[in-house]
Amino acid sequence: MTHRARLVLPAVCLALFPLATRAADEATCRHYADEAVQAQARNLGDHCGFAGDPWSGHWQNHFNWCLGASLAQVQSETNGRRGALEGCRRCSDYAREAFEAHLDNIASSCGFAGDPWSFNTEGHRQWCLAVSPADAANESAARRGALQECRRCSDYARQATEAQQRNVTLHCGLRGDAWSYDSMAHRQWCLVASPADADRETAARRAALDRCDRCTQYAREAVAAQQKNQNFSCGLKGDAWSFDEASHRQWCMVAPEDRVQLETNLRAGALSRCLSVCTEYANQAVAAQRQNQATGCNLAGDRWSSNYQEHAAWCVTASPASAEAETRERTRLLSACTPDRRNTCDAYADHARVQNAERIQRGCGRDRQTRWHDNYQNHYQWCLLVPISEPGKESAAREEWLQRCRGERSPGISTGECRVSVIVRNGSCQNLDGTPSDLLPPGSRSAIGCGPDRDTAKGNAVFSMMTTGVCLVEEDEPSPGCCTFAEEAVDGCLCQ
């Protein structure tokens, strides 16, 4: 600031330019000098670096200059100092903010570099002083925006690595670029992606982990269900029933949500049925088999297993109606299996098998599918459940079919020269328990034997009868399991 001598202007000029030529008074100059000294103190305190006469720390110098200056000059000088200090303060704030921004850049590993990113506070301030306030404000805003992006992407990277840690801890098995511990790679991806894309990636990871949480719970419940399946001997099998928690979880992660829920419901339903209805069913089935064995009923087949697990497993897969029907059938058979009926049906089943064997041997064909078969248990259990007269009728019907198949000239059995034929027919028969047999009425069975004489032919006929499963005794009364017989001799050979 140059101190100028006071000028004396004509009165007319004072009238035309009152402010420009009017001298400052002492009160004004004292105020001016006070503010100038304070401005210099701020210049020094804020390290603004301003120098020259306007930035003197001597009050008297400022006062003396003011007394020789016009009011306009005083006001201009004051405004200049104020503007300079305001700019210094603004640029000091700018430089401090730039310094702190670079600290944040380093601490957050953002990697920003160049003139806007340094610890050179004075360089930042000088740059600020050399540009417009708008340019400085734009530079600060750009730095703040970059740091905000860096912090956002640092948060993104932190969440991504934490998600990967959960992925590994929970054994989710999620893979790909989105699942890694490389925090720098996650942040760099985020910096080039849009915020919306980063948000979607974070949401996708969160959804995958939420599903993994659900599938972890699903797997634990599946293993618990398998433990119950084993503890209660339900016998449930398949991929849904195992102790492999990892396999359950991996299946859940790729299966549709509705399929996972269906699998859970099916498992729960099967267990519920096993633990309620099927537990009782299996207990009843095993108890029925114990009764079967104790009474000597000789009932056999899958229905009469003593294996609790097998019954429970069958029940779980069967309908309630089927399980009830199976229980009823066991009860009916055990009720029908009285000692007399048991012996009768045993003999009936054996005889039915012998008749079927003869039918096959002779190539007779069959009249009904259900009548001709070799399954002892089917014959035996059928006999137990039908009226007492039915087995005899069935045996007689089979015998009638066989008689037609044999024809009038039975093949018989012949030894030696065939001169004499003997026909034997059963008389009265007894069951194994000594009771009369309803299955073999007198005369219902016959056989032919041939030979050179009557005794040989008779022996061959009896042997032929024996091969059909009928025991013959030469007594007036039958013995248990056997029949009396009558014989008829014919000259000539009836054997083919």
Side-chain angles (χ1 to χ4, degrees):
M1 177 175 63
T2 302
H3 291 276
R4 299 177 181 174
R6 298 178 64 185
L7 299 176
V8 178
L9 298 177
V12 64
C13 292
L14 292 175
L16 292 173
F17 306 104
L19 184 61
T21 58
R22 184 180 173 188
D25 56 27
E26 291 187 4
T28 298
C29 289
R30 277 194 291 274
H31 179 73
Y32 168 82
D34 288 341
E35 184 176 339
V37 171
Q38 292 173 0
Q40 172 59 4
R42 289 179 56 193
N43 173 36
L44 296 174
D46 292 344
H47 306 283
C48 296
F50 300 133
D53 291 339
W55 299 98
S56 169
H58 298 285
W59 186 90
Q60 191 64 43
N61 289 347
H62 290 296
F63 181 74
N64 291 338
W65 177 87
C66 177
L67 290 176
S70 67
L71 287 176
Q73 289 174 317
V74 171
Q75 187 63 50
S76 176
E77 196 80 351
T78 299
N79 290 342
R81 254 189 309 266
R82 289 175 181 172
L85 286 174
E86 182 179 351
C88 175
R89 185 168 53 251
R90 175 176 56 79
C91 289
S92 292
D93 290 342
Y94 169 88
R96 183 178 63 256
E97 181 181 339
F99 181 90
E100 293 172 352
H102 191 46
L103 278 178
D104 200 353
N105 172 37
I106 298 299
S108 301
S109 302
C110 296
F112 300 132
D115 292 338
W117 302 96
S118 77
F119 291 121
N120 187 352
T121 306
E122 185 61 23
H124 288 303
R125 193 166 65 83
Q126 291 303 319
W127 179 87
C128 172
L129 290 171
V131 300
S132 68
D135 287 342
N138 289 338
E139 188 79 351
S140 291
R143 238 186 325 258
R144 285 193 298 271
L147 286 173
Q148 183 177 358
E149 281 296 287
C150 176
R151 283 190 293 270
R152 179 180 66 81
C153 289
S154 292
D155 288 342
Y156 169 87
R158 177 182 52 76
Q159 292 173 1
T161 54
E162 289 174 353
Q164 170 61 3
Q165 183 59 54
R166 284 186 62 198
N167 174 34
V168 172
T169 301
L170 297 176
H171 305 286
C172 299
L174 300 165
R175 290 177 174 80
D177 293 340
W179 302 95
S180 79
Y181 286 112
D182 192 342
S183 178
M184 182 62 71
H186 287 303
R187 186 171 61 240
Q188 292 304 318
W189 178 87
C190 171
L191 288 172
V192 298
S194 68
D197 286 342
D199 289 343
R200 278 192 290 270
E201 190 79 352
T202 298
R205 255 190 303 262
R206 187 177 298 116
L209 287 172
D210 288 345
R211 176 153 194 180
C212 181
D213 281 337
R214 293 194 300 275
C215 288
T216 296
Q217 183 61 31
Y218 166 87
R220 289 172 181 165
E221 291 175 355
V223 170
Q226 169 61 5
Q227 188 63 61
K228 288 184 179 179
N229 175 34
Q230 185 181 81
N231 292 345
F232 290 92
S233 301
C234 295
L236 299 164
K237 292 179 174 61
D239 293 339
W241 301 96
S242 80
F243 287 107
D244 191 343
E245 183 174 328
S247 293
H248 287 302
R249 182 172 50 248
Q250 291 306 317
W251 177 85
C252 171
M253 290 292 290
V254 299
E257 294 279 357
D258 57 347
R259 185 68 182 86
V260 173
Q261 187 59 52
L262 175 62
E263 192 80 354
T264 299
N265 294 342
L266 289 174
R267 199 161 27 227
L271 271 182
S272 175
R273 181 164 170 74
C274 170
L275 300 181
S276 56
V277 175
C278 292
T279 296
E280 182 180 359
Y281 169 85
N283 285 331
Q284 291 175 344
V286 171
Q289 170 59 3
R290 282 197 289 266
Q291 183 180 348
N292 173 38
Q293 293 173 332
T295 56
C297 285
N298 197 32
L299 297 164
D302 293 341
R303 178 183 291 159
W304 300 98
S305 168
S306 58
N307 189 312
Y308 173 94
Q309 289 89 344
E310 290 178 359
H311 288 299
W314 178 86
C315 172
V316 170
T317 59
S319 67
S322 296
E324 292 172 4
E326 194 73 2
T327 299
R328 283 196 304 270
E329 194 69 6
R330 267 190 290 264
T331 302
R332 288 178 62 205
L333 286 166
L334 287 172
S335 298
C337 184
T338 61
D340 289 345
R341 195 65 180 270
R342 184 165 61 241
N343 292 334
T344 297
C345 290
D346 176 64
Y348 166 79
D350 282 339
H351 184 215
R353 295 179 66 194
V354 169
Q355 288 177 309
N356 188 55
E358 182 180 351
R359 177 190 65 81
I360 295 172
Q361 182 182 14
R362 294 181 182 276
C364 299
R366 62 179 72 194
D367 55 348
R368 288 197 316 180
Q369 293 289 338
T370 57
R371 175 175 289 160
W372 300 95
H373 60 81
D374 196 42
N375 189 310
Y376 171 89
Q377 278 294 323
N378 284 359
H379 286 302
Y380 178 67
Q381 294 185 31
W382 175 84
C383 173
L384 287 175
L385 297 177
V386 298
I388 191 65
S389 61
E390 289 302 310
K393 293 178 181 179
E394 195 75 358
S395 289
R398 271 192 294 265
E399 182 62 27
E400 182 181 354
W401 181 264
L402 288 174
Q403 289 284 8
R404 288 199 297 270
C405 178
R406 295 184 193 117
E408 295 183 359
R409 287 177 60 84
S410 171
I413 295 178
S414 176
T415 58
E417 187 178 358
C418 185
R419 295 180 180 177
V420 180
S421 301
V422 172
I423 302 170
V424 295
R425 290 183 176 83
N426 71 292
S428 59
C429 302
Q430 284 189 2
N431 296 318
L432 291 174
D433 61 353
T435 58
S437 173
D438 296 324
L439 301 177
L440 293 173
S444 62
R445 299 294 298 274
S446 64
I448 299 174
C450 300
D453 54 59
R454 178 170 180 157
D455 288 340
T456 301
K458 174 183 174 183
N460 287 337
V462 170
F463 179 75
S464 178
M465 181 75 84
M466 291 287 195
T467 62
T468 66
V470 179
C471 170
L472 299 178
V473 293
E474 290 191 79
E475 304 288 344
D476 292 336
E477 296 293 333
S479 59
C482 294
C483 306
T484 61
F485 69 92
E487 63 182 85
E488 176 185 355
V490 177
D491 289 335
C493 188
L494 298 179
C495 299
Q496 296 178 354

